[in-house]
Amino acid sequence: MTETQVHAPEGAGRHSQLVNDDLAPTTKDTATWRTWDLFCLWMTSAHSIASYGFAVGMLALGMTGWQTMLALFAGVLMLWLGSNLVGVAGQKVGVPFPVFARATFGVFGANIPALLRALVAIFWYGIQTYLASTAVIVLVLRVSPGLESWTEPSFLGLSALGWIAFLVLWAVQLMIISYGMEIVRKASDFAGPVVWIGMIALAVWIMSKADWSIDLGARAGEALTSGQTVSAFIGVAFLMVAFMAGPLVNYADFARFSPSQKAIRRGNAWGIPFNETAFVVLSIIISLATLKVYGEVLSDPVELVAHIDNDAIVIISAVLFAIATVGINVVLNFVSPAYDISNAAPKYISFRTGGVITAVLSIVVLPWKLWANQDFIVYFLGGVGALMGPVFGILVVDYYLVRKQRTEVPELYSGAADGAYFYTRGFNPRALAALLVAGVVSVVVALVPDSASVTALSWPVGAALGAAVMYGLSRKPARA
């Protein structure tokens, strides 16, 4: 790794089975993620093909353009609040998410929420890489139309050109992560801002096609009654939070590298309420313009780019969308499983090795087939993703209300039976009980068939129930 190495905390033992250089606490030398970097982190998190598709997809619920904007803004505000809670805690303790979770779930029990988060991230890592590859294919075909014959499915459901584009992006991302978190920071600083060029260019082009006017009162779905509008509004707001539930939970992976809580709050403020709202508004404007021009909402910006008759704009937009998706993938879906897998066996698996495992698994799951199977997205990833709500609620209430923001950092790396966070054989029964109860409920809510308004409540229900059960079980003193 090229970044400054960190070392095991005093008292943990250099050969402890719970520590390696990547999982050890940060030092002043490694606190390099300042306000601008965190701002770019959230920009990178928001700027992707999937993020655009999510924002535009909310129009299909039947609300008007301006109602959808307001609902998404409400979700952005909740995300902002949650990011401050997790970010400040992560910066203060100075350890990655799976190590931070040891204080709550136990030094071994933390592997349960960590590996759940890793599982979701691995699938999404593969899917995002595939989506980025579709932008590359649009670019290649515009430059070399003769390669159209390479787009027919040839092996495991993917064309020869598809395999080439996918594997090139796969290798680029693996190369980035292999150099450690400092390179991730620089990649995020580049990918976050640059996509605005593509988004603004796309907006200018489609607005010119729409004669520079759109109807903010237009809707993609059928008109709703007042009660249905309120239900859809609440659903969209919470779906906005649920969409970012994974990175919200493991935000400590990045916040720990920040030099101060002030930098955390500033980076979050610029990156979430300001930037994410701007991205959502621009996405809705573009979608309403496509509705006017084409009579339908195009939820995939790559499909929209393919309609452009100007080669220069197509090439620039395709390149920028690919860069943006690679950026979000590295930040949201690569860093987390790399740490989470390393945490399962720190003595044998480094951050870099965890990244390689993540990358390999992302091919094994055949993400293009998963993306084509929306039932899988809804039922498996939706169900497992719903568990991020309970994890968030349990961690926050334990840190702020149960432990009163006190964490004995060296004890996070102690496997001794009398260690502060060893609990019962390394597992905290109270946290696991809260996760089981809240997790079952949130998954059931997430998988209610044909009920988008109920499904949207899986994150808040899981987070609230997990927090309540954890707090209730922790009111009686227990040996810590």
Side-chain angles (χ1 to χ4, degrees), residues 182-194:
E182 187 61 14
I183 298 301
V184 170
R185 179 181 68 84
K186 293 178 180 179
S188 175
D189 285 355
F190 175 76
V194 77

Side-chain angles (χ1 to χ4, degrees), residues 187-245:
S188 175
D189 285 355
F190 175 76
V194 77
V195 74
W196 274 113
I197 300 172
M199 284 294 289
I200 292 172
L202 194 59
V204 170
W205 175 78
I206 191 64
M207 284 297 291
S208 68
K209 290 283 188 180
D211 298 323
W212 303 103
S213 68
I214 57 172
D215 180 10
L216 290 175
R219 65 183 86 230
E222 296 181 3
L224 304 177
T225 65
S226 297
Q228 290 173 331
T229 299
V230 172
S231 177
F233 188 98
I234 295 173
V236 168
F238 282 122
L239 281 172
M240 179 69 215
V241 184
F243 182 72
M244 297 293 289

